[in-house]
Amino acid sequence: TFLGAGLMAGGSLFALVSLLIIESLPLTALGIAGVLLGAVSLSLGRTLPRVSIDTGQLLLEAGLDNITALIEELGLRSQAIYLPTSVTNGVARALIPVQENHTSFTLQGQLELRLLVRLGQGPEDFGVLVATPGSKVLSFGEIPSTSSLSDIQETLTSILLGRLDLAEGVRIPGGGESLRVEFAGSALALRRHPADAVLGSPLASITATVVAEGLGRPVSVTSETFNGRQHTVELRLHDPLKL
């Protein structure tokens, strides 16, 4: 930003002196070129992120370490279920059932926004509600409700390519109760974290959050595959009222 402002001011002064006093067109052109370079530098300075990528990754991994500590302390082994905000009072959350092989639970209205929530009448019919890397994605704007996978693909493209710059392409080749989402040029170079076994990777978490909100159905990450910069996420769609 300082470089751009300096080049614009110095280039303007140099161009005026060259034109009015020295009367040299080549020097005047050189001053105008300096102004143009200053404008480009000023624009680039304003597009730089306020927080570096390394800082963002440190904060993300610190949050995942806390979630991992909670998961290990409670002995949770079930796959997290990403819930639409229609059942979590407008706040994106993932539900981790306490029972590893939990039976089907029927959602009775909205869940309370607390750490432990009751899912049934049994002594172990509880779940843990946690914020995930995908929870804050909804703050970028409202995700439209839809039943079309092409709309979901367009929303993911807008968020992951246009806003977060985490991939170079998004494709959803098919539908059904299982959903496969393919990413080309995945740019999130994080180490495999213990929390991934329950929540999925950060990219999978963001994807599951968007799909759950867009389709209005609970979603869980069943598997992920990595092949260089190619990343594939397999999702399972749950009944809107049952887990």
Side-chain angles (χ1 to χ4, degrees), residues 8-215:
M8 291 184 70
S12 300
L13 180 61
F14 186 80
L16 287 174
V17 171
S18 300
L19 179 63
L20 300 177
I21 299 177
I22 303 177
E23 297 183 352
S24 171
L25 290 179
L27 292 179
T28 302
L30 181 61
I32 294 174
V35 173
L36 294 176
L37 286 175
V40 172
S41 298
L42 193 63
S43 299
L44 290 176
R46 294 182 175 181
T47 61
L48 291 175
R50 295 184 179 271
V51 179
S52 70
I53 295 176
D54 290 339
T55 302
Q57 290 188 352
L58 287 175
L59 295 174
L60 175 59
E61 290 192 358
L64 291 176
D65 286 342
N66 288 329
I67 294 178
T68 299
L70 175 66
I71 291 172
E72 292 177 348
E73 188 69 21
L74 296 177
L76 302 177
R77 295 293 182 268
S78 300
Q79 199 70 34
I81 302 172
Y82 291 83
L83 302 175
T85 57
S86 58
V87 297
T88 55
N89 290 288
V91 181
R93 288 290 185 267
L95 174 70
I96 308 175
V98 170
Q99 298 185 54
E100 184 172 355
N101 297 313
H102 65 281
T103 56
S104 180
F105 299 113
T106 301
L107 294 175
Q108 301 292 337
Q110 294 191 340
L111 295 176
E112 296 183 63
L113 283 181
R114 51 189 304 176
L115 182 63
L116 289 175
V117 292
R118 177 170 284 280
L119 301 175
Q121 301 303 317
E124 294 186 357
D125 291 346
F126 284 92
V128 178
L129 279 181
V130 296
T132 69
S135 297
K136 295 301 180 182
V137 168
L138 302 189
S139 65
F140 295 160
E142 183 178 352
I143 295 178
S145 299
T146 180
S147 59
S148 170
L149 294 182
S150 61
D151 291 341
I152 295 294
Q153 178 176 305
E154 183 178 344
T155 302
L156 284 171
T157 300
S158 174
I159 293 174
L160 296 175
L161 276 69
R163 187 65 183 263
L164 297 178
D165 198 22
L166 291 180
E168 296 174 359
V170 180
R171 193 170 75 95
I172 303 178
E177 294 305 303
S178 297
L179 203 63
R180 186 170 79 252
V181 185
E182 300 173 350
F183 303 95
S186 177
L188 194 59
L190 289 176
R191 63 181 175 86
R192 294 290 292 170
H193 198 277
D196 294 356
V198 174
L199 299 177
S201 68
L203 186 59
S205 173
I206 294 171
T207 302
T209 301
V210 172
V211 172
E213 185 67 14
L215 297 179

